[in-house]
Each structure stands twice: as structure tokens, then as C-alpha cells.
Amino acid sequence: MTEHPRIPQTHADWQSLAASLVERGLETRAYIDDAFVAAKDGATLTTINPATSEVLAEVASCDAADAEAAVAVARRAFDGGDWSRLAPAGRKAVLLRLADLMEANKHELALLDTLDMGKPVASSLGDMAGAIGCLRHHAESIDKLYGEVAPTGDDALGLVLREPLGVVASIVPWNFPLMMTAWKIAPALAAGNSVILKPSEKSPLSALRLASLAREAGLPRGVFQVLPGFGHTVGKALALSMDVDCLAFTGSTGVGKQLMQYAGQSNLKKVFLECGGKSPNIVFADCKDLDRVAEHAAGAIFHNQGEVCIAGSRLLVENRIREAFVDRVLAAAERMQPGDPLDPDSFMGAMVDQAQYERVLDYIRRGKEEGAILRAGGAAIKVDGKGLFIPPTVFDGVTDAMAIGREEIFGPVLSVFGFEDEEEAVRLANDSDYGLAAGLWSQDIDRIMRVTRRLRSGQVFVNNWADMDQTVPFGGVKQSGNGRDKSHHSLEEYSDLKSVWMTLAP
């Protein structure tokens, strides 16, 4: 009889599992051509636990030579057809096996993300549910999307076929390591492509563990590969490759712009970008249950330490309830203080690394200098005497001329604006380079419909923040990018349309 490992539940359980996992040894090599290998030049990068500042591992740091090798393997696998020409039901079965393996190993996968980037383990477990659900959704969608038959006369038959793109390079961020990976690779693999994954150098461990599960699930050789390393080395090489057909990216707007330039300098590969955000969260005076709304408004920015592209970092509150509402937000923030990421009761964890920690603290300093009113937080703290922790920080009296009110901070810093009426709320909300998400709280259905349609945003949350699932697309407008993750729309992005016109004999 097989003895199942104990499911971790308490703080002590997670600490014990973490110690056991590290002692057992972490996979640190790149995954190329169905094998785990060192980088060709032997280079490594150091990954650190930001909650303790302890070194976790030295991970292979790939560069252009590794990218070239992986691309050649991916192309060979695609042209060979074991995956690209496999019947949809066959791809579906393999991806569902991979989802089952992820489910069976979800505690280990969640723990890797927690150790690597400092997020609370409860949050990481939520990410695993999202990642597994994403994979299952796209696996189940493969054999349910039909082609088209064009309307013609009796002398012709017109077909519209969907075919995989070829080699897809997926470059994913560090804030939701495995969930963002699933958002990229699930539709790309489902469509029949070969995928090369470049995880962030700040959080590569779960991607490497996923590679072993993909092999166990039965993905054919060369169809899925993982290249850890830096964006300016291996990421750039993939973006400039003449044999990569598509680049899927989530990360900063600045890097997204660079990748589009690389695509133009190479083979005009398709580029799908999900970039930064400075999302407005608009609270009108007619909304019900201010305590509930304040809890959600605080969670919208402090979840995942504020390291979230759709974080509701700009809180726009109608002036006649502003003071009372901000007091409620402050009370909610007090309940969201950082703690040990291995404690399942911790709402917030550590900042991902020293650079991000210092970036956020610099924005806090600038907010004070620009004249914003600091209502909470504002200084770094330690947890158990260690780590890179910043508590929930709230600035009131923010204007759109201040850096903290315009620029993406990617940390637990909330900027509060006041507005007098609907017109001013819409103006403030749209006065941004970004357009990834927006929130709207009101009981007036006419107002909801008016404002929702006027907000320049890829997604609008009405009387919630980010309560969505796999059935709707995720992505933005303006400088927040041009691609869509999730839903069948993302599956469509990873395929090309081919028109076939047949002349029929009389």
C-alpha cells in the first residue's frame, strides 16, 4: 500500500516541508531536448529566499548558445509532427495528464514559488489552483473549436483552417511564476506549438519542476523546454531568433517595447504583450456596505505584496465619503500586515529581491517629498529579524502630477484621490498611460453602464476586484499591452488562419 505524504496545514508543517525540499535538492539545470543540462558556458545565477535572504540555489543561466540549441530542437519537434499534427484528442489527453500531475504535486510547486519570490504559501496554493484550472480549460477546449466553411456557389468549396504557429517563446514574470507560465504555455501547447519557456531569473524553480512533470505526462521530445536566465541574454536571443514564430510576454512596459523592436529587427514574429498597469478603483458614494468595499479595495493593492500588474493602486473615492472610507481602508490594511510566507495565516510576504525592495522604498520617499499625506506604513520592517518586508502603505491627497499617482510601483503602496462627480472620476481614471484593469463600485445601474463603457481598460470589475475565471480574456489596452491570456481567445492567438479555396468539377 502506498503511503501518501502528509498534506501540510500548519506553519510548522510548511517549515518542515521546505527544509525537506531544500535538503533533498532542487532542480537547477536547464531543460533542453528532453534532458536537464547545465548552461553551455557553465554560467549560473543565484536565487535567494527574500524572506530570509538565504541562498536557495545556483541555477543554470542560459545565453544565446543555449537559445539557439533549444530553438533548433523545438523546430525539429514541430516539423516532425508528433505533437503539431497529433489529433486534438491526443493533445488533450497529454495536457490533462500534466494537469493531474500538477494537482498531485501542488504543495511542492506552491512551496517553490513561496521560497523563490516570497509570496505567502496560501497565495501560492491559490496560484496552483489557477494554473491547473488553466491547463484543464485549454485541454478541454482543443477539440471544441471548429474551423469554418465559407459560403460559396456549387463550383467551389472554401475552408478556413486553424494551424499552429510553430515555435513559441514564452517569457514570464516572477510575481505569479507558475500561474503566469500556465497562462502562456497551456493555449500554446493546446494549439500544437512547440514552446520554449524563459522563466524570470528571480523565480525559476517551479518552471524547472514543471519540466519534469511535462516529461512524465508524455509531451514529445522537444515540444516543451525551459531556459532559465536573464532577459538581456537568453530572452533577447529568443526574441531576435529568426526561427521563433511567436513571442508571448508578461512583464514591464519598457521590456515589452524592446521585444517588439527585436521582432521587427528579426522575422516579424508575432508578439503578444501583457505589460504594466496603474489601475483605478473607483468608489461612488452610493455603494453599499463600505466596510466590505474597503476590504476589497485594500486587498486589490496589498495582495501579493502589491506585486501585481492589475493591482488597484489608484483609489478614487467620491469626496463626500472619502474620509470615512479611507479610515475603513486603513483598518483593513492593518489586518494585512506581512508575515512569514510559510505561515498559511500570512496575508503578505516579502518583496521579491533587494532591487524591488529598494525601488518601492524609493517611491515611498518620493511620495513624501511630493507632498502626499502618509496615512499608513512607509517604512521597511523585519519578520523574525529577517527579510525584505514592506507593510501596507497608504498615501492620501495624491494628485495626478505626483510620481506615486502615475507610475507603476509594483509594491504595497496605495494612492488615494478624491473626486466630486462622475465626470471627474472618469477623467482621473483614464488619465494614465496604462489600461489594464479598472474597478467600479456603485449601486446605480445606469451609472455602471455609462462609466464601464467610458473607461479605457481591457477589463472592468464592477462591485468586485478581479473576481474572474478562465472563461474571460485577460489583457489591456494602451501601454498595458496588446495580447490576451485565458479563454478561447488566447487559444486563437497561438494559431494562424489558412484559407483553402477548392474549385469543384462541374
Side-chain angles (χ1 to χ4, degrees):
M1 181 176 177
T2 302
E3 182 179 348
H4 294 282
R6 177 181 176 183
I7 296 175
Q9 295 178 329
T10 68
H11 190 184
D13 289 341
W14 284 105
Q15 288 175 317
S16 176
L17 181 59
S20 173
L21 187 63
V22 173
E23 182 181 354
R24 197 164 69 236
L26 306 170
E27 182 55 71
T28 60
R29 298 166 294 174
Y31 184 66
I32 302 174
D33 198 13
D34 212 33
F36 286 100
V37 295
K40 287 186 177 296
D41 65 358
T44 62
L45 59 87
T46 303
T47 182
I48 294 173
N49 181 347
T52 63
S53 299
E54 297 170 350
V55 173
L56 286 169
E58 296 293 331
V59 177
S61 183
C62 298
D63 64 10
D66 303 285
E68 183 179 358
V71 170
V73 169
R75 175 60 61 194
R76 185 169 66 245
F78 181 79
D79 291 343
D82 287 348
W83 184 255
S84 60
R85 295 196 294 273
L86 183 64
R91 297 201 301 273
K92 172 181 174 178
V94 173
L95 293 180
L96 288 177
R97 279 200 297 272
L98 177 56
D100 289 344
L101 286 169
M102 291 171 66
E103 179 80 43
N105 292 274
K106 65 182 179 182
H107 296 96
E108 178 186 348
L109 293 168
L111 185 56
L112 288 171
D113 280 353
T114 288
L115 293 175
D116 223 0
M117 62 82 51
K119 70 191 307 163
V121 72
S123 177
S124 293
L125 278 173
D127 294 354
M128 292 312 108
I132 294 163
C134 177
L135 204 66
R136 287 178 172 151
H137 176 89
H138 288 294
E140 291 288 358
S141 297
I142 300 171
D143 54 3
K144 299 173 182 66
L145 292 179
Y146 288 74
E148 301 170 21
V149 178
T152 66
D154 291 343
D155 60 344
L157 176 64
L159 303 177
V160 181
L161 308 179
R162 284 200 170 272
E163 297 186 342
L165 299 174
V167 177
V168 174
S170 299
I171 301 177
V172 299
W174 46 262
N175 57 333
F176 294 90
L178 200 53
M179 190 169 77
M180 293 293 101
T181 290
W183 284 16
K184 299 300 186 195
I185 71 169
L189 289 171
N193 299 286
S194 295
V195 176
I196 301 171
L197 173 67
K198 207 296 280 185
S200 170
E201 66 277 6
K202 299 181 182 184
S203 58
L205 297 177
S206 62
L208 295 171
R209 180 68 178 103
L210 179 66
S212 65
L213 298 179
R215 182 167 62 181
E216 185 178 348
L219 275 169
R221 183 172 181 170
V223 168
F224 179 62
Q225 300 174 90
V226 181
L227 302 183
F230 293 96
H232 65 272
T233 54
V234 68
K236 181 178 180 179
L238 291 170
L240 286 170
S241 172
M242 295 295 290
D243 215 18
V244 169
D245 302 291
C246 173
L247 194 61
F249 170 76
T250 293
S252 72
T253 296
V255 174
K257 291 179 178 180
Q258 284 184 317
L259 295 177
M260 293 192 77
Q261 292 176 18
Y262 294 152
Q265 293 167 22
S266 53
N267 60 343
L268 287 178
K269 58 178 62 67
K270 289 189 176 185
V271 181
F272 301 129
L273 304 174
E274 193 267 282
C275 298
K278 191 70 176 177
S279 299
N281 203 3
I282 309 168
V283 180
F284 286 96
D286 67 356
C287 66
K288 291 182 179 178
D289 193 351
L290 289 183
D291 288 330
R292 172 181 172 271
V293 178
E295 192 79 21
H296 281 263
I301 177 62
F302 301 131
H303 170 64
N304 208 54
Q305 306 75 246
E307 297 167 324
V308 185
C309 56
I310 61 166
S313 54
R314 290 189 294 149
L315 179 61
L316 282 52
V317 187
E318 193 167 349
N319 281 330
R320 61 194 175 101
I321 63 165
R322 178 173 166 182
E323 184 174 346
F325 187 76
V326 171
D327 285 344
R328 287 171 166 83
V329 171
L330 295 173
E334 187 60 34
R335 297 188 290 273
M336 298 177 179
Q337 297 300 309
D340 183 351
L342 293 176
D343 185 345
D345 292 329
S346 294
F347 183 86
M348 284 175 55
M351 306 307 295
V352 68
D353 65 4
Q354 187 72 32
Q356 188 64 19
Y357 174 78
E358 292 177 358
R359 170 187 168 88
V360 174
L361 291 176
D362 184 60
Y363 269 108
I364 292 172
R365 176 189 59 77
R366 291 170 67 183
K368 296 174 183 177
E369 292 176 351
E370 289 175 329
I373 303 167
L374 181 66
R375 297 292 304 275
I381 64 172
K382 298 292 183 183
V383 171
D384 297 329
K386 302 176 182 178
L388 307 173
F389 296 90
I390 298 175
T393 297
V394 179
F395 281 103
D396 201 354
V398 179
T399 71
D400 52 12
M402 298 178 181
I404 62 168
R406 298 198 66 83
E407 299 176 17
E408 184 178 38
I409 299 172
F410 225 64
V413 181
L414 178 63
S415 296
V416 181
F417 298 72
F419 66 85
E420 286 296 325
D421 54 27
E422 183 179 307
E423 195 66 29
E424 185 179 13
V426 171
R427 180 189 65 77
L428 286 170
N430 287 338
D431 184 19
S432 173
D433 292 335
Y434 301 105
L436 188 55
L440 168 60
W441 301 82
S442 173
Q443 303 306 126
D444 185 335
I445 187 61
D446 295 323
R447 166 180 283 156
I448 288 170
M449 295 308 300
R450 285 194 307 267
V451 174
T452 295
R453 291 181 178 182
R454 293 183 65 192
L455 291 172
R456 296 188 63 199
S457 177
Q459 47 211 325
V460 178
F461 309 122
V462 179
N463 293 328
N464 71 86
W465 188 266
D467 285 353
M468 52 185 174
D469 62 21
Q470 290 296 327
T471 60
V472 293
F474 182 102
V477 298
K478 298 193 283 187
Q479 292 190 45
S480 288
N482 58 15
R484 292 296 183 269
D485 292 315
K486 305 197 307 175
S487 83
H488 70 270
H489 294 288
S490 65
L491 190 56
E492 292 170 352
E493 286 188 339
Y494 292 102
S495 59
D496 269 330
L497 294 179
K498 176 183 283 185
S499 297
V500 179
W501 190 272
M502 302 180 190
T503 299
L504 304 178

